[in-house]
Every structure is written in structure tokens, then in C-alpha cells.
Amino acid sequence: MTVTVLLGLWQLESWQAVREDSAADLTREQPEPLAAVIGPDDPFPGEDVGQPVVVAGTWLPESTVYVSGRESDGRDGYWVVTPLAIGEPDGPALPIVRGWTADVETAPAPPTGSAELVAWLQPTEGTNVADEDRTDDILPQVRTADLIQHVDQDLYGAYAIVADEVAPGDWPTGAAATNDGTAGLEPAELDQLPTTAAFSGLRNFLYALEWFLFGGFVVFLWWRWARDTVALEGRVAEEVAAGAAADGSSVAAGGAVAGTTTLLAPAEVRRSLARRRGSVGGVNRPLLAYRVMAYIVGVLLIVLCLIGVPLGNFDGSSMWGIFPSTPELVSPGSGWQEFGEAISGYLGVAHGWLYMIFLGSAFFLARREGWEPTFTIVTLLCGTIPVLSFWAEHRAVQRVRADEAADLAEAQAASAQP
């Protein structure tokens, strides 16, 4: 119980950490080269909203536009946006918000020539506000569909705002920037910062929930085991007392105590045993349920531990904060690693829930068959070990079959006595 609570708290803390990381303000992080964050044809990386990037290229002054409805210190005004051709002058362009102005007419002339600066990366906007006048240079939003009408070359799927404060270091920002185009403009404020998605860290939350439920399930199993044991002891004592009181009485095959021996035909013996073991039509239902869940859990465990975990984690780096290094089976960020992470994520959660169903079916079978605690615990724990779960299933089936045969022989012998 203590272990399950601690593991649940650990996963809950991991869930909270993931959500905090997803909403982290990246604006004070170390700037990265633009190419390391996004390419000209890449979709916007949602986890990099606000990431400082180092950009270098050539200004496209004739494509300068003004975005209306932007405020600075409570004053309404415009963003001044000039695309920067990254790399070659005819290369894909990244729209750069150079700053803010209260009036388009008084805005300084756009810069020309080459530039190098640090800017905060932002996803393009999509407020569905239409550009009512496509003949002017004023836009209602920073949307690629609107910007492309003013630029004669490809655009990145993002825009960036000139950064006035970045992490300490030798970065091209402020006075160290080359032709950043901010002269005569007020600094523009960040339009977007990362938000926590609804499903961020969902896997950790589900794991935490699983561990807490598992702890409660353990308590329930212990209580049920204790209650059944006490009840069984009481029934045995009652039957012994009844047998001692009735001179010459015997226990019939169905388990009832009678004053005279009840003779049962073989078919009646089998029906009596079937009722006691929960069987219908010759099928032991508790055993069947246990076998089905044992195979499902066993197969998922093999796929998870022998395929998902190696592919998702064996890239030479540390794993789970426990192992300092791992074998170099896959390359970091490769398709195979993503495939392994998907297996670990989805099957890991599924196995946790299915394992609780497996525990219930195994426990119910153990109580029906009267297994001792040691045999039961080994059967339950083997459901967490790859391959061993199949051995435990075979072991349990063999014992049930042997017990059924012994009970049948004993009952037939009792019914045959005069």
C-alpha cells in the first residue's frame, strides 16, 4: 500500500512538472539558430512559442506592412512588420515585428540591406478577421494568407518579434545587433506565450490514478481475503460440530452434512462440482476469465518491455533518472524512437488498467480454488514480469485441473459408498 501511494505521488509530481514545462516562458532561454527550431516548410513547433532565435538575412523593405489593433501602454497603434529573407536575398522570408508605432504616417522608413538579430518566435495568427482593403499595407493580423499578398517569395510558417532582452551571452541584440530595424520604434510586446494544453502530461496523470486505484484495490483484496478466511473457518467449525452431533453422518459430495449418506450418480456429482466451481456446460468460468486476462496482459507486457522501452529509450542517453546510459539502439528523434515512445505511452497506460482486471480475475479464481497465499501472490506478481506471466498461467491451469480431477474422484468415491 505504501509503495503504491509513493509511486502515485511520483507520477502526480511528474504530471505537474510536464504541465509547468509546457507553459514555461522561453523568452529568457539561450537563443538558438533559426534552422535548429523551424525550417521554411515546417509546421510551427508548438513547444517553442517565445523561443529566442538568431536570424540573419536581407531585409525586404518593399514588403513592409502594418498590423492594426496593437496596444502599447494602453495606446492603440500598429505593429511594424518587415520580412527578412533568411540566407540568400531570394530565400524564404521570416516576417519580423520590428516594433510599435502610434501612426503609420510617422513610422520610420523600413531598413534595407543585411541584418543579424535575436527575435522571439511566434506562431502566425488566425482570428478569421478579413482584410477589408487589400490595396493598402495595413493588415488586421499576422496571418500568412494576408502576408503572402505583399511578399514575392516563400514565407516561414511563423513570425518573430525583435527581442530587447535575452539570456546573458554574446548575442546580436540591442547595440550588438546588426541593422535590427528598431530605430524610431517602440518595442513590441509579445503577442503569445506558451499555454498549457488540456492533455499535457495526461499519461503521467493516468499512471498516478492507476497507482492510487491499485493501492485501494490491494486494500480491498486484503479485506476480502481476511473476510473469506474467517467465514471459511466458521463454516468448517459448523460442519465439524454437526458431524460430531449426528452419529454415523457423512459429508456428501455436494458438501452438505446429512444424517445419512446421499448417493449421487456420476452426472449428479459433476453438476455438484460445477456449481461449486462456478462452471457452466463443463467450462470453468473463473479459470477462463483468468486465462484470457493472463494472455492479454502477458502479450502487452512483452510488446511494452521488449519493444517499446528499448526503441523509445535506448539512444545512448540516461533513462528515467536511474540508468546513467543506455545501449545505442536508435538515433535520438528518429522515427523508430518516436514509434517506441508511442508504444510506451499508449500500451503502458493500457497495461496498467488491464492489469487491475487481471488481478481481480486471478484473485477470484484463487478464492474459488482455495489457493494458499504464497501460490496466489506468485501468480499475481508474475503478471508484471515479461514471459513469466505465461509460466504462471500454465502453472495455475495445471493446479486447477489437478484439483478438479482429485475432487471428482473423491466425490465419486463418496457417492459409491453404501
Side-chain angles (χ1 to χ4, degrees):
M1 178 64 183
T2 302
V3 172
T4 59
V5 170
L6 291 177
L7 288 172
L9 292 174
W10 168 53
Q11 287 295 334
L12 195 60
E13 290 176 358
S14 299
W15 170 66
Q16 293 172 336
V18 169
R19 292 181 65 82
E20 289 172 0
D21 289 343
S22 67
D25 183 354
L26 303 179
T27 58
R28 298 298 182 267
E29 294 292 321
Q30 296 281 338
E32 298 183 14
L34 178 64
V37 181
I38 186 173
D41 301 317
D42 294 340
F44 189 89
E47 69 277 7
D48 289 320
V49 177
Q51 171 66 47
V53 291
V54 178
V55 295
T58 304
W59 289 113
L60 304 177
E62 67 281 359
S63 298
T64 297
V65 295
Y66 304 90
V67 181
S68 61
R70 306 296 158 149
E71 293 187 355
S72 178
D73 295 330
R75 297 172 296 158
D76 193 29
Y78 303 84
W79 272 359
V80 183
V81 182
T82 302
L84 183 70
I86 304 301
E88 300 297 326
D90 58 351
L94 177 69
I96 302 293
V97 179
R98 295 164 33 223
W100 180 90
T101 184
D103 189 354
V104 172
E105 300 299 328
T106 60
T112 59
S114 60
E116 183 182 24
L117 53 99
V118 175
W120 293 308
L121 201 63
Q122 298 276 279
T124 54
E125 301 171 337
T127 60
N128 295 322
V129 178
D131 182 9
E132 298 178 354
D133 187 358
R134 294 182 178 274
T135 63
D136 62 15
D137 296 329
I138 299 177
L139 303 178
Q141 60 194 341
V142 188
R143 189 175 67 166
T144 302
D146 295 332
L147 291 168
I148 199 68
Q149 307 297 324
H150 300 267
V151 185
D152 294 330
Q153 50 208 78
D154 293 338
L155 290 176
Y156 278 74
Y159 71 96
I161 301 175
V162 175
D164 55 352
E165 293 183 16
V166 296
D170 186 17
W171 309 111
T173 182
T178 301
N179 192 21
D180 64 4
T182 59
L185 299 172
E186 296 184 25
E189 299 177 0
L190 274 174
D191 193 49
Q192 301 182 60
L193 282 175
T195 57
T196 302
F199 297 104
S200 294
L202 178 62
R203 182 175 66 180
N204 298 99
F205 177 77
L206 291 176
Y207 274 134
L209 184 60
E210 284 178 9
W211 281 117
F212 291 139
L213 289 176
F214 185 69
F217 194 60
V218 168
V219 173
F220 169 75
L221 292 183
W222 174 83
W223 169 78
R224 183 63 182 270
W225 192 300
R227 192 194 71 171
D228 289 351
T229 300
V230 172
L232 179 60
E233 293 288 342
R235 287 197 300 269
V236 170
E238 289 175 1
E239 291 189 5
V240 170
D247 184 28
S249 66
S250 61
V251 179
V257 177
T260 59
T261 301
T262 302
L263 297 180
L264 295 177
E268 292 175 311
V269 172
R270 285 189 171 85
R271 283 196 296 273
S272 177
L273 289 172
R275 286 194 296 271
R276 185 171 66 83
R277 289 183 176 275
S279 301
V280 174
V283 177
N284 189 326
R285 290 182 298 177
L287 178 62
L288 178 62
Y290 161 73
R291 296 190 70 184
V292 170
M293 292 311 304
Y295 274 103
I296 292 175
V297 169
V299 170
L300 288 182
L301 198 59
I302 287 178
V303 176
L304 177 65
C305 295
L306 303 185
I307 298 177
V309 171
L311 288 180
N313 296 277
F314 287 8
D315 58 2
S317 62
S318 61
M319 185 171 71
W320 304 337
I322 300 174
F323 305 101
S325 63
T326 55
E328 295 185 15
L329 180 63
V330 295
S331 300
S334 65
W336 281 110
Q337 187 173 57
E338 292 179 357
F339 178 63
E341 290 175 347
I343 291 177
S344 299
Y346 293 110
L347 286 191
V349 173
H351 177 268
W353 291 102
L354 290 171
Y355 181 71
M356 282 190 280
I357 300 176
F358 163 80
L359 282 181
S361 63
F363 176 78
F364 184 70
L365 177 64
R367 300 312 298 151
R368 275 300 187 99
E369 297 297 326
W371 292 346
E372 62 273 12
T374 302
F375 189 92
T376 303
I377 292 173
V378 169
T379 302
L380 298 180
L381 291 180
C382 281
T384 64
I385 304 173
V387 180
L388 261 184
S389 58
F390 297 107
W391 168 81
E393 183 271 340
H394 176 75
R395 173 173 169 264
V397 170
Q398 292 296 103
R399 173 156 180 174
V400 171
R401 298 297 187 221
D403 289 346
E404 284 178 340
D407 289 349
L408 180 61
E410 181 181 346
Q412 288 176 331
S415 65
Q417 292 178 2

